[in-house]
Amino acid sequence: EPEVTQTPSHQVTQMGQEVILRCVPISNHLYFYWYRQILGQKVEFLVSFYNNEISEKSEIFDDRFSVERPDGSNFTLKIRSTKLEDSAMYFCATSRDRGSYNEQFFGPGTRLTVL
Amino acid sequence: GEDVEQSLFLSVREGDSSVINCTYTDSSSTYLYWYKQEPGAGLQLLTYIFSNMDMKQDQRLTVLLNKKDKHLSLRIADTQTGDSAIYFCAESITGANNLFFGTGTRLTVIP
């Protein structure tokens, strides 16, 4: 069964550094999402991406965050000038469709630790 | 804003039924979902219910939706040790393509 993969599984970085989290979507999916979960809190939506541009983003997705699909396969989340409060599990999700019902397939997550 | 709440932990004995509860605030929910996360894995869609329905059954899983009270539950019959995982309640709402999640409920099944 096709699945979404994410790398790395765990990333440790110093505050102020830049990190790039990578996701490989399911091959025929066109809609891509990033979510995050701070320990003990809810899974929160960050951004959705379609046709090489951002469709929607939340308040969390500030100027330090960016997404791209550099080579047509990987979908990346870049965080510049990382802060302690960026420490969280980051989930990539992809879907074939959008609309009221769209089954989103999630990757296993990348745990980001900012020291 | 949209708010989805779940309790954090639930323990049950193997063979018993588990009931995981979720409340939400947005009345423009279109679909409500239950996702399961096993250790080291992504969130896997277990089941979903359209907001116009009040019940959906799928083998050992029963989803109940009380739209008036904005309460969703997932019942797992004959709970097995393999059901131990974190269960996330999520909703989609009119006009948004992202999902709104709760914190997840960690289900522990005691042999």
Side-chain angles (χ1 to χ4, degrees), chain A residues 62-78:
Chain A
D62 64 27
D63 292 347
R64 301 180 300 114
F65 291 78
S66 60
V67 288
E68 64 175 358
R69 242 189 131 196
D71 55 9
S73 59
N74 290 297
F75 176 51
T76 63
L77 173 68
K78 183 189 290 186

Side-chain angles (χ1 to χ4, degrees), chain A residues 93-106:
Chain A
T94 74
S95 67
R96 196 178 56 191
D97 305 301
R98 63 187 294 173
S100 297
Y101 175 73
N102 66 54
E103 182 175 356
Q104 295 185 19
F105 292 78
F106 283 77

Side-chain angles (χ1 to χ4, degrees), chain A residues 35 42 45 98-100 104 107, chain B residues 3-5 35 42 92 97 99:
Chain A
Y35 292 82
K42 296 175 186 179
F45 168 72
R98 63 187 294 173
S100 297
Q104 295 185 19
Chain B
D3 198 17
V4 180
E5 298 288 343
Y35 278 82
S92 55
N97 290 303
L99 300 177

Side-chain angles (χ1 to χ4, degrees), chain A residues 44-55:
Chain A
E44 302 171 290
F45 168 72
L46 294 178
V47 65
S48 60
F49 188 85
Y50 168 70
N51 200 25
N52 282 322
E53 58 183 35
I54 291 173
S55 309

Side-chain angles (χ1 to χ4, degrees), chain A residues 74-100:
Chain A
N74 290 297
F75 176 51
T76 63
L77 173 68
K78 183 189 290 186
I79 310 174
R80 292 182 295 277
S81 304
T82 48
K83 302 178 180 179
L84 295 177
E85 54 264 39
D86 294 330
S87 295
M89 181 74 90
Y90 287 80
F91 294 104
C92 171
T94 74
S95 67
R96 196 178 56 191
D97 305 301
R98 63 187 294 173
S100 297

